[in-house]
Amino acid sequence: MKVALITGANLWFTPYLNNYTTVLDALGVDYDIISWNRDGSDAPSGIQYTRQSDIDKTKVLKLFDFLRFVEFVKSAVVKGKYDRLVVFGSQVSVFLGKFLKSKYNGNYIIDLRDLSVEQIPVIDRVYASILDHSFTNVISSPGFADCIKGEHKFTLNHNFNPTEELLANRRNPVEWSRRPVEVLTIGGIRNFDSNSEVIRALSNKENFRLAFVGKGYAAKPLEEFARKTGCRNIRFEGYYPKNKEKDYIIGSSWINIFYPSVKSHTSSLSNRLYSSLIYKRPMIVSANSIHGKYITEYNLGLAVENTDNLDARILRWMEENSFDDYCARADALFDAFLADQQTFKEKVTEFCI
């Protein structure tokens, strides 16, 4: 048995690959990772397409870049003689659609982490056909199932890998700081509008600090926005090794997951959600979203429609909730997610038999 894991993204942005490799390693399955080092920041690893695609390129030029990557993937798959394929993302899946259905019918998994081109009319039918011919389709949020055309088989796989180290981290939580209160945005720094709202709401507020740690297309514009508006209680740090993420989160008080009210964001679950549950940091999330549903049901922070009086709302929540009670609620939700991960593990094992 030989498996290829195919992603059209930088490995830095795809930690969920580990959810598969952990299972494959345990089964002793031979596999390769075929990836696209799109911004040039990844170290050489696996089978890697290295032609860079600048984020400022036009859509037409990006399309040509994608087509070149897909041809690279097809060549690598044919050369590698793989028995099974796991394809991440709807864009790569659509471009590989005919190849998948003709060469790997019933022997591939489509893994959807974000909504994208499958929401476009006509393409949605093409994508539905690809899902119909798969072994199973993996989604990272239950919210995605309602956004995809047709009825399909889905397996839920959250964006965390339940390693022993991770499980140990959740057993010994460090209480959050109440003075000062640090609101942390970590990982991919995107969504200028929503993040600038958070900055404006907490700018220079007494006993509050803001931290943006990570990289993404909104990082520099947000830094410039903070400078122009005179925000002094903020810091920006760029790329960081993933093994340092724990330290940043433990050093914070709250995790910011306030997203725009658009389908692609209201239906998805952020990596920060799991970090919040593991390291016991309450969240600021958007109301009327899948995040808001969980946060409201388990009382794990604030689900807000806007950032008006955000500082007062944060302080009030902290006064009304004890750390121990919060931890118990966070563990209850995380346990439900662990059950989903066990089902995913069993499905991938079945895929490899």
Side-chain angles (χ1 to χ4, degrees):
M1 175 63 65
K2 192 176 182 183
V3 177
L5 307 174
I6 302 166
T7 175
N10 283 82
L11 294 177
W12 194 86
F13 287 114
T14 56
Y16 43 79
L17 283 173
N18 294 333
N19 295 15
Y20 287 88
T21 60
T22 298
V23 178
L24 298 178
D25 287 337
L27 295 173
V29 173
D30 185 18
Y31 66 87
D32 290 313
I33 297 174
I34 303 174
S35 68
W36 185 359
N37 188 5
R38 295 179 73 170
D39 66 7
S41 65
D42 286 341
S45 178
I47 300 171
Q48 194 175 76
Y49 184 63
T50 57
R51 184 187 180 97
Q52 295 181 35
S53 182
D54 193 276
I55 193 170
D56 295 326
K57 280 187 176 181
T58 66
K59 290 183 178 180
V60 173
L61 291 177
K62 287 180 180 179
L63 174 61
F64 281 119
D65 286 345
F66 232 98
L67 291 173
R68 293 188 186 99
F69 169 69
V70 169
E71 290 306 311
F72 172 85
V73 170
K74 289 180 182 178
S75 176
V77 168
V78 171
K79 182 179 179 180
K81 298 180 179 179
Y82 299 99
D83 302 293
R84 306 278 193 276
L85 305 179
V86 181
V87 183
F88 296 88
S90 52
Q91 290 175 310
V92 179
S93 303
V94 167
F95 284 120
L96 284 176
K98 290 184 179 179
F99 178 82
L100 292 172
K101 290 190 290 184
S102 63
K103 304 294 185 183
Y104 285 90
N105 188 26
N107 290 314
Y108 61 87
I109 289 174
I110 300 298
D111 188 299
L112 183 67
R113 297 282 146 176
D114 299 287
L115 297 185
S116 182
V117 297
E118 80 292 328
Q119 300 297 298
I120 300 173
V122 179
I123 292 180
D124 59 355
R125 293 196 294 272
V126 174
Y127 190 68
S129 175
I130 296 168
L131 298 183
D132 285 338
H133 289 80
S134 68
F135 173 81
T136 191
N137 306 295
V138 174
I139 51 177
S140 60
S141 168
F144 289 153
D146 297 330
C147 301
I148 298 173
K149 190 180 185 68
E151 297 291 329
H152 310 285
K153 48 187 179 292
F154 288 114
T155 301
L156 186 58
N157 175 30
H158 297 279
N159 282 336
F160 71 89
N161 189 7
T163 62
E164 181 54 40
E165 179 182 3
L166 180 146
L167 297 178
N169 285 331
R170 70 186 286 241
R171 288 194 288 265
N172 297 293
V174 177
E175 187 166 357
W176 55 64
S177 170
R178 296 173 183 269
R179 293 291 190 278
V181 176
E182 178 171 290
V183 177
L184 171 67
T185 307
I186 190 166
I189 308 299
R190 307 181 181 95
N191 308 309
F192 174 85
D193 290 343
S194 56
N195 282 317
S196 62
E197 283 189 51
V198 173
I199 292 174
R200 191 184 300 277
L202 299 178
S203 177
N204 302 327
K205 295 293 185 179
E206 186 178 2
N207 292 315
F208 276 88
R209 295 189 310 206
L210 289 153
F212 285 79
V213 180
K215 61 180 183 178
Y217 61 82
K220 289 297 182 183
L222 286 169
E223 189 168 359
E224 180 65 12
F225 172 81
R227 186 188 66 79
K228 286 184 176 180
T229 57
C231 180
R232 298 181 300 277
N233 60 332
I234 192 168
R235 76 176 194 276
F236 289 87
E237 299 185 31
Y239 169 86
Y240 62 91
K242 286 296 183 180
N243 61 2
K244 297 294 184 183
E245 191 166 78
K246 171 184 175 180
D247 297 331
Y248 285 112
I249 296 170
I250 290 177
S252 72
S253 309
W254 284 69
I255 302 293
N256 170 36
I257 322 177
F258 183 62
Y259 281 166
S261 295
V262 295
K263 185 187 293 186
S264 59
H265 291 77
T266 58
S267 61
S268 64
L269 292 178
S270 169
N271 293 349
R272 296 173 204 161
L273 168 69
Y274 307 108
S275 297
S276 168
L277 299 178
I278 293 162
Y279 299 110
K280 307 300 188 298
R281 293 297 180 262
M283 292 164 269
I284 304 164
V285 305
S286 306
N288 303 314
S289 67
I290 190 71
H291 286 128
K293 172 182 177 294
Y294 285 128
I295 273 55
T296 300
E297 181 179 351
Y298 287 85
N299 188 18
L300 298 174
L302 295 173
V304 301
E305 295 182 3
N306 56 61
T307 59
D308 295 348
N309 302 312
L310 184 58
D311 56 329
R313 285 189 275 179
I314 288 173
L315 294 177
R316 186 182 309 116
W317 188 94
M318 296 178 81
E319 291 172 359
E320 294 173 351
N321 291 271
S322 74
F323 182 69
D324 289 343
D325 289 344
Y326 165 81
C327 288
R329 298 193 298 269
D331 283 338
L333 179 56
F334 194 78
D335 286 341
F337 290 162
L338 283 175
D340 294 331
Q341 297 302 73
Q342 179 59 33
T343 300
F344 164 78
K345 178 181 177 180
E346 292 167 359
K347 200 67 178 179
V348 174
T349 300
E350 181 185 348
F351 176 67
C352 294
I353 294 176

